[in-house]
Amino acid sequence: MSSLPPFTLLQPTSLAEASLALREGAVLVAGGCALIPALRSGALAAPRLVTLDRVPGLTSLSAHPRSGLQIGAGVRAARLLPDIWTGKRFAAVHEAVEQFDAPHIARMGTVAGNLCAARPDHDLAVALVAMGAEVVLQGAGPARRMPLADFLRAPGQTVLEPGEILTLIACPGPGTDGGSAFKKLPLVRRRADAPRRFSAAATLRYGVERERIQAATLVLGGVCLPWQAAVEGLVGALADPALFQRAAEDAAAAAPALAHADAALRRQAIALMRDCLQQANARALARHDHFDDAEDLAAESA
Amino acid sequence: MTDLVLTLNGTPRSVPNGAQMTLLEALRALDVAPPMLCGEGACGSCLVLVGQEPVAACLTLAALVGTAPVETAAGLADPVGRAVRAAFAASGADACPLCSAGMMVAATHALRISPWITDDEVRAALLGQTCRCSGYEAQVAAVMQAALALQGGGA
């Protein structure tokens, strides 16, 4: 096992300094989970590394059904696990962290680092894209805010300009009668470069009358960067298992990553997406925010 | 060439050129030897505690450890660590040098949170550790044995 090539470690105390170092060719190190192996194998050369651990204000995490989920760039994935609102109302994101391959990777790796690696087999992006997450990028110019789906350009590539830093990940609240789910399925691999897994995430939201689906998302990943399926068939419909099966079948038929998949693989992807929709549906119907119930009661008595 | 001082198992130790190393390389330079196997954080063999948190030493820059106490399997000296090491030794669960150090570190971390642990929780705590030969049964049994000893000890 080769040792690390020589490097200088910069520990700036402000984003501006960090951004300057990055413009001058330094490489950002967060949890190190993807970077260190790349440095050691020689896949990436970085004589200068820069860490944000002395930049204040990047380690905040807040989650609430009304104000949404905000994850600072320095937040390590496992910090989401004990957060009660993340578990209850941002369940897809919670499940993606829960199912990390190794608990110590969730403790070491940051959410932002996981997204910036832009690897298809990284699951957090799948859950966050389904939940409508946006990212905030700060660099030399004005800060940019964009959907996470647009941030991920291609495997290993993001839209980050030189000197730009992903500082915040923000998800809108799930809505009063909204639910989400994430699931993944390991794939048998016979080649090192074959996909490791399917992952899928779904969200579903009901209108005020709590009968018809008002909005839904369905995202497939693992074999590709998060790919959003068109789910027009769900909107306005009454939920039933056949509806979710059909939506998953339509998604599998349209997914570019499944264009050359054999029947067995396709069946697995369909089952995974259908189960995500069903579980998101169950969670959307199972209300557990006491203040939402209180509002309904108030509306009924008015 | 920058030397680095690590607080290793309670003792400050100086590592020549340590600022250029991963924590694992620094530990090996000190002859404290968690094995280096996958080098990608995937197998958990080099798991150590940094400030009570389990990390893969192969993915950690030694320079970022700072003054946080580093504990390796051999240095687990509190009652929980001693119980885990004793249970592994008594049952032969430490027979293999590849995974047992990381297993003991992961188990100690879990039992420090609470020794009132179930079989399933032990398996979840060891999820990041790859056993290459035995199938985890001996290790899970050893952790449960350590947990029972700690529970009996008025924990």
Side-chain angles (χ1 to χ4, degrees):
Chain A
M1 184 83 49
S2 55
S3 55
L4 287 180
F7 64 90
T8 316
L9 181 68
L10 309 171
Q11 295 179 287
T13 53
S14 73
L15 270 182
E17 284 173 68
S19 169
L20 182 67
L22 291 176
R23 281 200 298 283
E24 291 170 355
V27 171
L28 197 61
V29 53
C33 300
L35 183 75
I36 303 292
L39 290 178
R40 196 160 26 216
S41 70
L44 182 75
R48 287 170 11 113
L49 297 176
V50 55
T51 167
L52 299 176
D53 65 352
R54 293 191 186 165
V55 177
L58 295 179
T59 54
S60 64
L61 168 69
S62 69
H64 189 273
R66 298 291 166 91
S67 56
L69 175 65
Q70 283 90 28
I71 307 168
V75 173
R76 295 174 197 270
R79 278 231 351 246
L80 299 172
L81 289 179
D83 185 274
I84 190 162
W85 281 128
T86 309
K88 286 170 81 167
R89 301 310 310 278
F90 301 88
V93 181
H94 197 263
E95 284 172 326
V97 181
E98 224 181 340
Q99 296 175 40
F100 263 45
D101 286 348
H104 57 265
I105 297 296
R107 286 203 181 83
M108 298 173 72
T110 62
V111 177
N114 188 292
L115 299 180
C116 287
R119 290 213 354 216
D121 59 342
H122 282 185
D123 300 325
L124 276 177
V126 176
L128 283 164
V129 165
M131 298 217 64
E134 294 188 325
V135 291
V136 176
L137 315 179
Q138 282 182 264
R144 296 198 281 165
R145 190 176 171 119
M146 64 178 72
L148 172 60
D150 298 343
F151 171 77
L152 303 165
R153 193 154 57 186
Q157 269 181 40
T158 66
V159 301
L160 280 173
E161 300 283 341
E164 255 185 337
I165 297 167
L166 195 173
T167 52
L168 183 75
I169 300 127
C171 261
T176 301
D177 294 296
S180 64
F182 166 89
K183 290 177 189 299
K184 69 182 180 185
L185 189 68
L187 295 174
V188 175
R189 296 197 304 160
R190 295 195 175 81
R191 291 160 52 118
D193 59 354
R196 288 168 191 271
R197 64 176 66 106
F198 277 131
S199 54
T203 66
L204 218 124
R205 195 172 73 230
Y206 281 87
V208 278
E209 85 297 342
R210 298 174 76 184
E211 276 180 10
R212 288 181 186 276
I213 298 166
Q214 190 181 56
T217 61
L218 177 61
V219 175
L220 179 70
V223 291
C224 56
L225 282 180
W227 175 81
Q228 290 174 279
V231 284
E232 288 94 3
L234 294 175
V235 177
L238 295 168
D240 84 271
L243 177 75
F244 297 138
Q245 173 73 23
R246 212 159 48 239
E249 283 170 4
D250 291 349
L258 296 176
H260 305 292
D262 59 29
L265 210 58
R266 190 175 290 272
R267 248 193 337 266
Q268 289 179 319
I270 291 171
L272 195 70
M273 290 191 281
R274 178 202 60 206
D275 288 358
C276 278
L277 284 168
Q278 274 180 355
Q279 186 155 22
N281 179 57
R283 287 180 175 148
L285 291 170
R287 186 181 266 193
H288 38 215
D289 290 357
H290 52 85
F291 43 68
D292 287 338
D293 289 337
E295 272 178 16
D296 274 7
L297 286 174
E300 277 167 27
S301 60
Chain B
M1 186 131 154
T2 321
D3 288 6
L4 188 84
V5 178
L6 289 175
T7 311
L8 176 63
N9 298 329
T11 317
R13 299 284 300 272
S14 178
V15 189
N17 202 25
Q20 292 289 319
M21 295 179 180
T22 61
L23 179 57
L24 180 54
E25 290 160 4
L27 292 174
R28 291 175 69 85
L30 292 172
D31 268 342
V32 183
M36 183 183 235
L37 295 175
C38 76
E40 294 178 352
C43 74
S45 306
C46 64
L47 203 74
V48 298
L49 298 177
V50 174
Q52 302 275 359
E53 279 286 293
V55 302
C58 68
L59 295 182
T60 306
L61 288 179
L64 289 178
V65 170
T67 54
V70 179
E71 289 175 273
T72 63
L76 297 168
D78 68 318
V80 177
R82 282 207 308 274
V84 168
R85 284 166 54 197
F88 270 68
S91 63
D94 63 350
C96 169
L98 296 184
C99 70
S100 57
M103 293 260 190
M104 285 191 269
V105 171
T108 301
H109 176 256
L111 294 183
R112 277 182 187 168
I113 295 170
S114 168
W116 303 94
I117 196 167
T118 65
D119 198 82
D120 284 345
E121 287 167 334
V122 171
R123 286 176 193 279
L126 298 183
L127 209 58
Q129 317 307 120
T130 303
C131 165
R132 289 164 172 80
C133 39
S134 82
Y136 305 94
E137 297 302 330
Q139 287 87 354
V140 173
V143 181
M144 288 308 287
Q145 191 186 327
L148 282 175
L150 290 163
Q151 290 166 13

